[in-house]
Amino acid sequence: MDKKSTASAAVLLFAGICAVVTGSIIALPLTPVVRILVWTAGGVLIIVSLVRLIAYVTHKKASHIAVIPVLGITVFFVLFSFSARDKIRSLFSIRKEGRGIYSMTYYGDAMTDQALDAGLMTPEDFSDWIRRKEFYNFPYRYEDPQNGCSAFTSLSDKGGILFGFNFDAPETGVSTLIVYTHPSDGYASMATVPLGQVFGTEGYDPDLPDARLLMLSAPYIINDGINEAGLGITSLQLKIGETHQDNGKPDVTGSCLLKRAILDHCATVEEAVELISHYDVHSHKGVSFHFFICDRTGKAVVVEWFGNEMSVVEADACTNSALAPEHLGEGSVDERLPTLQQTLEEASGILSAAQARNLLNAVSQEGYTDWSSLYDLDRLTLSICLNEEYGNAYYFELSGR
């Protein structure tokens, strides 16, 4: 190997190091797939240059020296594939169920309890935590969606409990993901995720590899869902200013982590309220939110926060206005809540599935309702209609253990 070859090997080594460093700079707007390709290219350049330099120093054939890094790379990929086997299985489970709707089974256990113990106070804290824990420091951005929604529960004319929910958001037509989880120490669940809302509607295509990698964070960013114990939960925006509790309890930002923990660990409304009470809740973007929680006994409550106080009100319906007696009506007030309450009262709280879907239609917001979910808490099923197309429903079932 002459000096010219040695110099070229040094140049390759330098180029490889630059590529690896470039791929590691989080601030650069590189997609995960491009970042992996940059890392791979840099790694190949480094290995080739080192093999050539070592062969020059030891006076051995480069092909003999190359056996060592090839073996090392093989071992690395085997170990990585084993450690990331649940993520790989989750990615391969993604299915396109129809236009704008996908499903995914999340294998393994979400690290919800760790996230709740991490004291995450802002959406940025939340995004950074997911980036570190789920994406090996790949860039990750979470957008807490702005929405105006409605929810209700009723007895079913066939026995059991129905739980209806409209997800109303500024950008209609966003893709929806149904994510299944089966935690080893909790309840199986299925829940919805507004993909375009949380990852940004502009340029987000769920069929691209980059977008599918982002779906690995789905268990942490759920919107509405049920678990195998027959408990249902969702959150609705409440325009009463931000909530920032300070009671000396662990901090949690937004609603998603608490919803995840509740679906994983709670079988009844009472258990859910008890879990929530152990945390100081924070909201952002100038608004708050409240929870609508119901279970298969027929009990339903709305949980809200005012200052450091948590309010729990029994209610079979809610929209985007407060229900706590001392704050009744604060927030966004319109005819949706009276429509829900009057319909449920006239039906004595008993609806057929068709009547429940009609009620969701009645309180939908034209050009604004992205999906309407109708859950059966006893049969553990979900019927979901997208973009106010109530004659075209997709059906999903939750299987327990």
mmCIF file of all heavy atoms in Angstrom, residues 337-347:
data_model
loop_
_atom_site.group_PDB
_atom_site.id
_atom_site.type_symbol
_atom_site.label_atom_id
_atom_site.label_comp_id
_atom_site.label_asym_id
_atom_site.label_seq_id
_atom_site.Cartn_x
_atom_site.Cartn_y
_atom_site.Cartn_z
ATOM 1 N N LEU A 337 -74.038 19.811 23.872
ATOM 2 C CA LEU A 337 -74.292 19.193 25.171
ATOM 3 C C LEU A 337 -75.790 19.078 25.464
ATOM 4 O O LEU A 337 -76.255 18.001 25.864
ATOM 5 C CB LEU A 337 -73.586 19.961 26.286
ATOM 6 C CG LEU A 337 -73.718 19.368 27.693
ATOM 7 C CD1 LEU A 337 -73.211 17.931 27.727
ATOM 8 C CD2 LEU A 337 -72.964 20.222 28.718
ATOM 9 N N PRO A 338 -76.601 20.136 25.262
ATOM 10 C CA PRO A 338 -78.050 19.971 25.450
ATOM 11 C C PRO A 338 -78.652 18.898 24.541
ATOM 12 O O PRO A 338 -79.571 18.175 24.955
ATOM 13 C CB PRO A 338 -78.602 21.362 25.109
ATOM 14 C CG PRO A 338 -77.481 22.295 25.404
ATOM 15 C CD PRO A 338 -76.240 21.554 25.029
ATOM 16 N N THR A 339 -78.131 18.782 23.319
ATOM 17 C CA THR A 339 -78.632 17.754 22.408
ATOM 18 C C THR A 339 -78.347 16.366 22.960
ATOM 19 O O THR A 339 -79.218 15.473 22.946
ATOM 20 C CB THR A 339 -77.988 17.898 21.017
ATOM 21 O OG1 THR A 339 -78.349 19.167 20.458
ATOM 22 C CG2 THR A 339 -78.443 16.794 20.084
ATOM 23 N N LEU A 340 -77.135 16.153 23.455
ATOM 24 C CA LEU A 340 -76.773 14.861 24.053
ATOM 25 C C LEU A 340 -77.665 14.566 25.251
ATOM 26 O O LEU A 340 -78.232 13.472 25.375
ATOM 27 C CB LEU A 340 -75.302 14.875 24.475
ATOM 28 C CG LEU A 340 -74.243 14.842 23.373
ATOM 29 C CD1 LEU A 340 -72.859 15.109 23.957
ATOM 30 C CD2 LEU A 340 -74.253 13.497 22.659
ATOM 31 N N GLN A 341 -77.775 15.530 26.147
ATOM 32 C CA GLN A 341 -78.530 15.318 27.386
ATOM 33 C C GLN A 341 -80.011 15.070 27.106
ATOM 34 O O GLN A 341 -80.613 14.165 27.702
ATOM 35 C CB GLN A 341 -78.349 16.534 28.300
ATOM 36 C CG GLN A 341 -76.922 16.687 28.818
ATOM 37 C CD GLN A 341 -76.701 18.004 29.544
ATOM 38 O OE1 GLN A 341 -77.354 19.006 29.238
ATOM 39 N NE2 GLN A 341 -75.791 18.018 30.506
ATOM 40 N N GLN A 342 -80.588 15.838 26.207
ATOM 41 C CA GLN A 342 -82.014 15.684 25.909
ATOM 42 C C GLN A 342 -82.299 14.339 25.245
ATOM 43 O O GLN A 342 -83.271 13.659 25.588
ATOM 44 C CB GLN A 342 -82.483 16.821 24.998
ATOM 45 C CG GLN A 342 -83.976 16.746 24.660
ATOM 46 C CD GLN A 342 -84.419 17.904 23.786
ATOM 47 O OE1 GLN A 342 -83.695 18.866 23.583
ATOM 48 N NE2 GLN A 342 -85.637 17.805 23.255
ATOM 49 N N THR A 343 -81.426 13.941 24.307
ATOM 50 C CA THR A 343 -81.630 12.661 23.619
ATOM 51 C C THR A 343 -81.541 11.497 24.594
ATOM 52 O O THR A 343 -82.364 10.570 24.562
ATOM 53 C CB THR A 343 -80.581 12.485 22.502
ATOM 54 O OG1 THR A 343 -80.697 13.571 21.573
ATOM 55 C CG2 THR A 343 -80.788 11.165 21.771
ATOM 56 N N LEU A 344 -80.554 11.525 25.472
ATOM 57 C CA LEU A 344 -80.384 10.450 26.450
ATOM 58 C C LEU A 344 -81.559 10.419 27.427
ATOM 59 O O LEU A 344 -82.032 9.348 27.812
ATOM 60 C CB LEU A 344 -79.061 10.632 27.203
ATOM 61 C CG LEU A 344 -77.793 10.416 26.370
ATOM 62 C CD1 LEU A 344 -76.557 10.823 27.164
ATOM 63 C CD2 LEU A 344 -77.669 8.959 25.941
ATOM 64 N N GLU A 345 -82.050 11.603 27.816
ATOM 65 C CA GLU A 345 -83.181 11.663 28.748
ATOM 66 C C GLU A 345 -84.449 11.117 28.093
ATOM 67 O O GLU A 345 -85.188 10.339 28.704
ATOM 68 C CB GLU A 345 -83.397 13.104 29.189
ATOM 69 C CG GLU A 345 -84.524 13.254 30.204
ATOM 70 C CD GLU A 345 -84.707 14.693 30.662
ATOM 71 O OE1 GLU A 345 -83.868 15.543 30.290
ATOM 72 O OE2 GLU A 345 -85.701 14.959 31.372
ATOM 73 N N GLU A 346 -84.706 11.497 26.845
ATOM 74 C CA GLU A 346 -85.914 11.042 26.149
ATOM 75 C C GLU A 346 -85.879 9.534 25.905
ATOM 76 O O GLU A 346 -86.932 8.885 25.847
ATOM 77 C CB GLU A 346 -86.055 11.778 24.822
ATOM 78 C CG GLU A 346 -86.403 13.252 24.989
ATOM 79 C CD GLU A 346 -86.439 13.989 23.663
ATOM 80 O OE1 GLU A 346 -86.034 13.384 22.638
ATOM 81 O OE2 GLU A 346 -86.858 15.166 23.644
ATOM 82 N N ALA A 347 -84.660 8.979 25.766
ATOM 83 C CA ALA A 347 -84.526 7.541 25.525
ATOM 84 C C ALA A 347 -84.357 6.762 26.827
ATOM 85 O O ALA A 347 -84.095 5.556 26.789
ATOM 86 C CB ALA A 347 -83.330 7.276 24.613
#
